[in-house]
Amino acid sequence: MVQLEKGKYGRLIKVTWIFFSAALALFLFYAYAVSINFMGLFGALPDLKFLENPKNDLASELYSADGVLMGKYFTSNRSPVEYEQISPNVINALLATEDARFEKHSGIDFKGTFAIAWSVLTLDPRGSSTITQQLAKNLFNTRGKDYRGSLGGVPGLNMLIIKTKEWIMAIKLEKNYTKKEIIKMYLNTVPFGSNAYGISTAAKTFFGKKASDLTTEEAALLVGIVKGTSYYSPIYHPNRALERRNVVLGQMVKYGYLSSDKYSELKTKPIDMTKYAVENHNKGSAPYFREVIRGFLYKWAKARGIDLDTEGLKIYTTIDSKMQKYAEESVTENMKDQQKKFFAHWKGRNPWITEDYKEIPGYVEREAKKTGRFKQLKKQYEDNEAAIWKEMNQPVKMKVFSWNGEKDTTLSPMDSIRYYKHFLHTGFMSMDPNTGHVKAWVGGIDFKHFKYDHVMQGKRQPGSSFKPIVYATAIDNGYHPCQEVLDAPVTFASDIGGEPWTPNNSDGPPSYERMTLRRAMGRSINTISAKLMQEFGPNRVVDYAKRLGIKSPLEPVPSLCLGTSPVSVYELLGAYSTFVNGGIWTKPMFITRIENRYGEVIESFPPTTVEALSEETAYLMVHMLQGALQEEGGTAQGLFRYKMARTNEIGGKTGTTQNYSDGWFVGVTQDLVTGVWVGGDDMSIHFRSMSLGQGGRMALPAWGIYMDKVASDPNLGLKNSKFRRPKNLPVSLNCDDYNTVAPSDSTQQQYVAPSTVSTDEGIL
């Protein structure tokens, strides 16, 4: 009987071993078949080369010249950090919650794998996948279509194949990387929700801090979110997030990373989301600047076969983060004040008016037809105008911009257009004339609500701020700042039957006073600018403008002497910088170098320069620009309200166009040239009086506020308070030493315009 039982059990053991051996052999064959993608059934695995250099999508980052992160270009917002830059609290919370046996296994924790059912029954939050397996899934997208074979569509079997691939990749990862490297890669790739990929971005998004500074409870919250980024979102489901955070803290106690007393203290702390901010293209420093150079960067990247949004490039710009901050603050302060005046000025009336100050009929309707909303409705309703306008006048909930913060309101699309057309806009740029480096760029009043850039993209008539180019033409062709010219009428007649044009001065008819060129430019005398245009001709002035970097089309007509052809702030600053830089035009530049994700420089950007003027002519023009402050009646004397103007050598020029549609000011020092434009969305939207609408009132204050801030910063104080003078200036700047030779005593000059030119402009 005993022998019978022994034989029976022996056969059972033998059968069991045979079955186990066969199952093991079958499993090994299956694993091998998956690893080689046998007959294309299972889908490919990443090759060893890819494994040795795993590449996940990284946001390309834009840095200021002083190393401050300004913004990113991304599909997935991910920025990598080193292991040492991650708080130990994060690593402890991760190990306790996701993989307590991480240091003991080699990629696969079979104890954890076979304990799935027990984990579910006991509510143990530890998953069955190891951190290494999860990393494999994150790095190689093992569940994506790219790695799916012909058996991938079979329910149940597909998941088994996926898990097998993750096991295989986990083992390979463990062979190629240290435990610290695996932890680092995992935390740099895992999604946390709110468009935050990786621990660095998550720390900034949820708590406004670096990954190295995360506290225990903050680390527990972020690790808890990983289980379900939407379900456990502290923004949308704070109670769930709090409960999940405390579960993670409990795991940390269980595995010895946290004391019970500390747990008791932390579990009662509320979740603090006061610094929560999702990174997007509307936020961060210099959003207009970032958006403008986005086009350049995408074009540059495309030409080199690079994906800007995923390549993890580091783009180093010329922007100084402190100067940018001061510029944004100054623009805000000035534009709040200007807008307050504008609202009061137009109280009870709409500001879109004709030249005789009457409201433009049908203006809002015409503007509405340009909107995306109208074009969408036109496709939807085809030619049913009544239905389109009914929708355009239907009130809807929306957020609108105001200088007191974004407001929730209910407006129809038509009312929204009316509301936004009441706002003034601005463009502000500051650059180092010696290097061409752009230091600050503010393209408008609020990037979220007004995307249009008024520094490079927008072009408006510069008015009198164009006059220095006219004067530079004269100075470079024999005139001297001390040369006296008569403030007398100058008439431009057309040979095509048009009306002759005789420009007046902004303050009325000519004075018939004889004055130096320096005083004439300082006081912005229109007749003398017209006299110089008459002598040298529009084509000569256009030629000098091009030398000085003006790329916009300039109409070669007499009225160009008063700035009738639109230009950008960007162009005009390049021209003024030439005067300060000894006659060398340097293209305003905004990028110095681009590095790949490994820190290797893949392109540097040297300055582009052209010798536009002689050093002597350039310095004489700087001397001329100083006349706006130093000459009696100078248009920039309002700057003396600001401390910086009383302690440094400064030059500048105001600009005001017809009907006060555009206000400009460009100011120069040896180290900074800064330009400001202020105006309405259209030229028909403007102040109605010189006392409010001139460049010295609208634009100049922003320059003064900004320069006071820059000059008072001990790290940014102007290095050279005086302009750099040529060593051997061949002429004296003292008008007492200059033998005045008046060009002409005639009080009425005639100029016949080319037959193809219209001369019906009359600009103040």
Side-chain angles (χ1 to χ4, degrees):
M1 185 71 178
V2 175
Q3 286 182 339
L4 182 63
E5 288 183 358
K6 284 183 178 181
K8 178 181 178 182
Y9 286 120
R11 285 194 299 274
L12 179 61
I13 292 171
K14 185 176 181 180
V15 169
T16 301
W17 273 108
I18 292 173
F19 177 79
F20 176 78
S21 299
L24 180 61
L26 183 63
F27 174 77
L28 292 175
F29 173 75
Y30 161 75
Y32 176 72
V34 171
S35 69
I36 64 170
N37 188 23
F38 181 68
M39 296 180 66
L41 296 172
F42 306 101
L45 285 171
D47 60 30
L48 287 176
K49 289 183 179 179
F50 188 76
L51 182 64
E52 290 169 2
N53 296 285
K55 183 177 179 181
N56 50 279
D57 292 351
L58 296 181
S60 289
E61 298 176 334
L62 199 70
Y63 286 90
S64 66
D66 50 335
V68 176
L69 178 63
M70 298 169 62
K72 302 175 183 178
Y73 303 108
F74 56 81
T75 301
S76 301
N77 188 9
R78 178 186 289 115
S79 297
V81 289
E82 295 301 320
Y83 182 89
E84 292 73 21
Q85 296 172 304
I86 303 170
S87 169
N89 296 320
V90 176
I91 295 167
N92 294 341
L94 177 66
L95 295 178
T97 308
E98 296 292 330
D99 196 350
R101 289 167 47 80
F102 177 71
E103 295 292 343
K104 299 178 181 178
H105 64 66
S106 297
I108 304 174
D109 183 7
F110 287 104
K111 181 179 179 180
T113 301
F114 293 121
I116 298 174
W118 178 254
S119 296
V120 173
L121 291 173
T122 59
L123 301 180
D124 186 338
R126 179 174 60 82
S128 62
S129 294
T130 65
I131 288 174
T132 317
Q133 287 174 256
Q134 293 179 53
L135 174 61
K137 180 177 67 175
N138 293 342
L139 281 180
F140 308 117
N141 191 21
T142 52
R143 305 188 182 196
K145 293 181 180 179
D146 292 342
Y147 296 113
R148 181 177 294 180
S150 55
L151 295 177
V154 180
L157 182 59
N158 177 47
M159 183 53 64
L160 175 62
I161 294 170
I162 288 172
K163 296 299 290 186
T164 304
K165 288 181 178 180
E166 289 175 3
W167 289 344
I168 294 170
M169 296 311 301
I171 292 171
K172 290 184 176 182
L173 284 170
E174 291 275 352
K175 286 182 178 179
N176 282 271
Y177 297 98
T178 66
K179 291 289 186 180
K180 284 186 177 181
E181 288 173 329
I182 290 171
I183 287 283
K184 180 190 77 171
M185 286 192 288
Y186 174 83
L187 286 172
N188 278 328
T189 56
V190 67
F192 290 88
S194 296
N195 202 24
Y197 293 80
I199 191 64
S200 176
T201 306
K204 184 176 181 181
T205 299
F206 289 95
F207 301 110
K209 58 173 59 176
K210 296 179 180 178
S212 58
D213 298 330
L214 290 168
T215 63
T216 302
E217 66 274 19
E218 291 168 346
L221 177 71
L222 292 180
V223 169
I225 290 174
V226 172
K227 185 176 182 180
T229 55
S230 297
Y231 189 82
Y232 292 111
S233 168
I235 304 303
Y236 302 109
H237 305 291
N239 292 333
R240 292 179 192 167
L242 180 63
E243 183 180 346
R244 175 65 181 161
R245 182 201 71 178
N246 289 344
V247 168
V248 175
L249 291 173
Q251 287 296 108
M252 294 178 72
V253 174
K254 177 179 177 180
Y255 291 103
Y257 296 111
L258 189 67
S259 68
S260 298
D261 292 342
K262 190 66 176 177
Y263 168 75
S264 299
E265 175 192 337
L266 294 179
K267 73 175 183 179
T268 60
K269 292 187 70 171
I271 296 175
D272 181 8
M273 287 285 105
T274 56
K275 294 185 178 179
Y276 172 81
V278 177
E279 286 189 87
N280 60 53
H281 301 307
N282 291 327
K283 297 180 180 180
S285 178
Y288 287 96
F289 171 77
R290 299 199 318 264
E291 188 61 25
V292 167
I293 68 169
R294 173 196 291 269
F296 166 81
L297 290 170
Y298 275 114
K299 184 177 180 180
W300 175 90
K302 184 178 180 181
R304 291 156 181 79
I306 295 173
D307 187 341
L308 180 68
D309 291 327
T310 63
E311 194 67 24
L313 302 177
K314 286 184 169 56
I315 301 112
Y316 290 90
T317 73
T318 60
I319 296 291
D320 185 287
S321 65
K322 288 186 178 180
M323 289 187 184
Q324 179 66 31
K325 176 175 175 287
Y326 296 148
E328 291 173 358
E329 291 173 350
S330 303
V331 163
T332 297
E333 185 176 340
N334 180 55
M335 293 309 296
K336 274 187 176 181
D337 181 58
Q338 298 301 327
Q339 194 63 54
K340 182 179 178 180
K341 293 174 182 175
F342 196 71
F343 282 151
H345 185 69
W346 284 103
K347 188 175 182 180
R349 291 186 59 183
N350 290 321
W352 39 91
I353 56 174
T354 62
E355 288 188 4
D356 55 356
Y357 298 105
K358 294 180 180 179
E359 183 174 337
I360 300 173
Y363 173 80
V364 176
E365 287 71 19
R366 286 197 295 274
E367 291 300 306
K369 291 179 179 180
K370 301 175 186 177
T371 65
R373 174 67 172 158
F374 186 90
K375 293 173 182 177
Q376 178 186 356
L377 290 172
K378 192 171 183 180
K379 288 182 179 179
Q380 181 178 342
Y381 292 109
E382 296 180 349
D383 294 326
N384 190 338
E385 290 275 328
I388 295 173
W389 289 115
K390 182 179 179 181
E391 288 279 356
M392 290 295 290
N393 284 284
Q394 184 69 34
V396 294
K397 291 183 178 181
M398 63 178 68
K399 291 181 181 291
V400 297
F401 168 80
S402 86
W403 279 114
N404 294 318
E406 194 174 57
K407 291 184 176 181
D408 292 304
T409 188
T410 301
L411 292 173
S412 71
M414 295 298 290
D415 286 336
S416 173
I417 294 170
R418 293 185 184 95
Y419 174 77
Y420 279 125
K421 288 294 181 180
H422 281 76
F423 281 91
L424 292 175
H425 299 273
T426 191
F428 181 109
M429 185 178 121
S430 186
M431 65 178 283
D432 182 341
N434 308 295
T435 62
H437 289 186
V438 175
K439 294 299 182 182
W441 182 306
V442 185
I445 57 175
D446 183 85
F447 184 72
K448 180 178 180 180
H449 293 278
F450 305 99
K451 292 287 193 281
Y452 193 76
D453 171 69
H454 292 284
V455 171
M456 180 184 281
Q457 187 178 3
K459 296 180 180 181
R460 297 290 285 259
Q461 291 182 339
S464 294
S465 61
F466 186 83
K467 287 179 181 176
I469 297 176
V470 179
Y471 280 89
T473 306
I475 295 294
D476 204 45
N477 286 275
Y479 272 71
H480 185 278
C482 294
Q483 187 115 11
E484 289 186 350
V485 183
L486 192 67
D487 174 17
V490 177
T491 297
F492 296 89
S494 172
D495 63 354
I496 57 173
E499 292 291 327
W501 175 58
T502 305
N504 278 325
N505 294 324
S506 61
D507 56 356
S511 65
Y512 293 95
E513 174 188 349
R514 192 177 295 280
M515 64 184 72
T516 65
L517 283 189
R518 188 173 190 253
R519 176 167 293 184
M521 194 174 91
R523 290 174 55 181
S524 200
I525 303 298
N526 288 346
T527 59
I528 294 178
S529 181
K531 173 66 184 74
L532 297 176
M533 177 65 83
Q534 179 194 66
E535 180 165 346
F536 296 102
N539 288 312
R540 180 82 67 89
V541 172
V542 169
D543 177 62
Y544 272 87
K546 290 180 178 179
R547 286 196 209 177
L548 295 168
I550 304 296
K551 304 296 183 184
S552 296
L554 299 176
E555 197 173 2
V557 295
S559 61
L560 181 63
C561 69
L562 304 185
T564 54
S565 289
V567 299
S568 68
V569 175
Y570 176 87
E571 291 174 295
L572 204 56
L573 254 65
Y576 275 68
S577 292
T578 307
F579 304 143
V580 182
N581 194 33
I584 305 298
W585 174 77
T586 303
K587 183 179 181 181
M589 59 183 293
F590 36 74
I591 297 176
T592 55
R593 71 183 189 278
I594 298 177
E595 297 179 356
N596 62 19
R597 64 173 63 195
Y598 308 111
E600 300 165 341
V601 177
I602 54 179
E603 183 134 4
S604 297
F605 297 85
T608 301
T609 61
V610 174
E611 189 173 342
L613 300 171
S614 69
E615 189 179 14
E616 291 76 19
T617 296
Y619 185 75
L620 291 178
M621 282 308 302
V622 169
H623 180 64
M624 293 278 288
L625 288 168
Q626 289 179 274
L629 288 89
Q630 297 174 357
E631 294 286 348
E632 182 181 355
T635 59
Q637 290 183 346
L639 284 177
F640 288 121
R641 298 196 304 269
Y642 305 96
K643 181 180 178 181
M644 187 268 175
R646 300 192 296 269
T647 57
N648 291 272
E649 285 191 353
I650 293 174
K653 188 71 193 74
T654 56
T656 308
T657 59
Q658 188 171 10
N659 293 331
Y660 326 112
S661 296
D662 305 274
W664 292 75
F665 182 71
V666 182
V668 303
T669 68
Q670 184 58 56
D671 295 303
L672 280 180
V673 173
T674 303
V676 189
W677 166 86
V678 175
D681 198 26
D682 295 318
M683 290 187 69
S684 62
I685 299 172
H686 51 77
F687 285 109
R688 291 167 291 174
S689 68
M690 175 66 85
S691 62
L692 293 171
Q694 61 180 292
R697 297 295 178 89
M698 289 199 296
L700 180 146
W703 193 94
I705 297 167
Y706 168 73
M707 291 302 293
D708 264 1
K709 289 176 181 287
V710 170
S712 63
D713 189 317
N715 298 315
L716 295 177
L718 299 182
K719 293 174 288 186
N720 298 305
S721 60
K722 294 185 177 182
F723 290 109
R724 189 170 57 242
R725 179 171 177 155
K727 292 181 179 179
N728 298 308
L729 191 64
V731 295
S732 171
L733 296 178
N734 185 348
C735 290
D736 293 336
D737 299 334
Y738 182 76
N739 294 321
T740 300
V741 179
S744 172
D745 287 331
S746 172
T747 61
Q748 185 75 12
Q749 303 289 339
Q750 295 290 324
Y751 175 84
V752 179
S755 59
T756 58
V757 170
S758 171
T759 60
D760 58 357
E761 293 270 2
I763 299 295
L764 286 175

